[in-house]
Amino acid sequence: MTVALCTTSHSPLIGLHDPPPQVRAEVDGVLARARVFVEEFDPQLVVVFAPDHYNGFLYDMMPPFCVGAAASSVGDYGLPAGPLDVDRDAAYTVARHALGAGVDVAVSEDMQVDHGLVQPLTFLFGSLTAVPVVPVFVNCVADPLGPAVRARHLGAAVGAAVRELGRRVLVVGSGGLSHDPPVPRLAEAPPEVVERLKHGRNPTREQRAQRESRTVVAAADFAQGRGPYRPLNPDWDDLVLRSLAGGDFGAIDGHDNDWFVAEAGHSAHEVRTWLAAYAALAAQGPYDVRSSYYRAIPEWFAGFATTTALPRQAPAGDRARAVDVADGAR
């Protein structure tokens, strides 16, 4: 067994605008079991497919995909800031495989990452530097977006690359599922926001605090049924989880981009990170989902889910499928 998978939703509101204590405890338990899964796999490298929320990638140059050969966390929402332990050689191997497979990826020697990539590292390892990583940015919010199937192609190319590394590689997808938080859109933004979307990297501490406080207020409104945000869609989230578990990628990425927004909100495009991660796992052959958790959590603006999976050729004792499902969640 050389590849394992963990996908998880993220939310900058964790710890800032939490659901009732029993729900928070339930999620903490799920993430603790995911950590045990990862510890038992003992990865030598982690490839993280993650979005950005106009903290590291802006409209001065917005690639559809980017592989980080060096990266630092911006430390938004109180998360750790500073450099990640990026395996530069592995990053270039991944980039070359993707380009060789016809998937156009950019390469960054100074990638800035936000909570979308940092949270899964803290969930699973408690640190930015516990294990070498290859960060892979997937544009999920900035129009224009390519078709979702391109994320699958990216994941398949990355899966072929990690297969040749000869190391235990954990593939992580961070984002989704259904959610429609107040992420600005260029075509609808006032001039001052347009300027930030083009050149707003490295805001002051005060500017970042103002932005983040607005998100907390919006989440409070959403949890009370107020505001212009699309509701969470557990039925769509269930479709995504079932389709990925069964390897039926086309049930998700066979739709056009408008379908994602109509069904599950503008930020539902973050499921592209899950498509890429599962495609990387599928490049190793058939797989089995080991655990699958889901709960709609409006306080976090999230259809929150976490899954783990292994290649089917794992030892028989590892094939048992354990499913963690919240009460009434599905």
Side-chain angles (χ1 to χ4, degrees):
M1 179 192 348
T2 58
V3 178
L5 172 143
C6 180
T7 57
T8 185
S9 302
H10 59 252
S11 172
L13 296 157
I14 294 175
L16 299 178
H17 188 258
D18 281 339
Q22 66 272 20
V23 176
R24 176 63 197 265
E26 179 183 278
V27 174
D28 288 344
V30 168
L31 294 174
R33 290 192 287 278
R35 283 195 296 273
V36 171
F37 170 87
V38 170
E39 288 168 0
E40 291 178 349
F41 179 68
D42 191 22
Q44 297 165 310
L45 179 71
V46 180
V47 176
V48 186
F49 296 97
D52 178 77
H53 308 82
Y54 298 115
N55 285 295
F57 290 88
L58 295 103
Y59 274 105
D60 58 346
M61 183 65 70
M62 181 63 70
F65 310 120
C66 184
V67 177
S72 295
S73 166
V74 301
D76 58 331
Y77 291 93
L79 290 164
L84 281 61
D85 181 12
V86 176
D87 187 324
R88 186 171 183 272
D89 290 341
Y92 271 90
T93 296
V94 165
R96 290 188 182 102
H97 269 264
L99 291 166
V103 181
D104 292 332
V105 297
V107 174
S108 173
E109 286 282 357
D110 187 23
M111 183 184 284
Q112 305 295 297
V113 301
D114 69 3
H115 66 273
L117 193 142
V118 169
Q119 270 193 332
L121 294 179
T122 61
F123 289 163
L124 299 175
F125 302 101
S127 167
L128 300 181
T129 56
V131 63
V133 302
V134 173
V136 182
F137 162 72
V138 179
N139 177 28
C140 300
V141 299
D143 285 328
L145 293 169
V149 71
R150 297 293 293 163
R152 190 208 312 185
H153 297 163
L154 169 69
V158 173
V162 301
R163 190 170 60 238
E164 296 184 10
L165 291 176
R167 298 156 71 181
R168 292 186 304 279
V169 179
L170 176 70
V171 178
V172 174
S174 172
L177 299 179
S178 65
H179 64 312
D180 193 40
V183 178
R185 290 182 285 280
L186 188 70
E188 304 167 8
E192 65 275 12
V193 176
V194 169
E195 182 61 22
R196 179 172 71 79
L197 295 181
K198 293 193 291 185
H199 304 292
R201 192 173 285 107
N202 302 321
T204 66
R205 181 176 299 179
E206 292 75 17
Q207 288 170 330
R208 190 179 294 283
Q210 289 174 0
R211 263 195 256 164
E212 294 173 359
S213 65
R214 287 195 293 267
T215 302
V216 174
V217 170
D221 286 342
F222 181 68
Q224 296 298 316
R226 301 189 298 266
Y229 314 109
R230 293 174 186 268
L232 304 177
N233 187 346
D235 290 338
W236 188 84
D237 295 338
D238 181 67
L239 168 68
V240 169
L241 292 170
R242 286 188 290 106
S243 299
L244 291 174
D248 184 10
F249 298 100
I252 307 167
D253 63 28
H255 296 272
D256 65 21
N257 292 339
D258 290 342
W259 176 78
F260 290 84
V261 176
E263 291 289 330
H266 290 86
S267 289
H269 285 298
E270 285 186 355
V271 78
R272 293 164 186 250
T273 66
W274 289 50
L275 283 165
Y278 268 92
L281 180 64
Q284 322 310 313
Y287 57 83
D288 290 313
V289 170
R290 291 290 308 275
S291 64
S292 182
Y293 167 88
Y294 174 80
R295 181 180 281 278
I297 305 179
E299 292 84 358
W300 290 347
F301 258 121
F304 197 94
T306 300
T307 73
T308 59
L310 291 169
R312 189 163 295 165
Q313 58 264 37
D318 284 344
R319 294 182 193 166
R321 181 171 175 178
V323 180
D324 302 313
V325 181
D327 292 342
R330 281 204 272 166

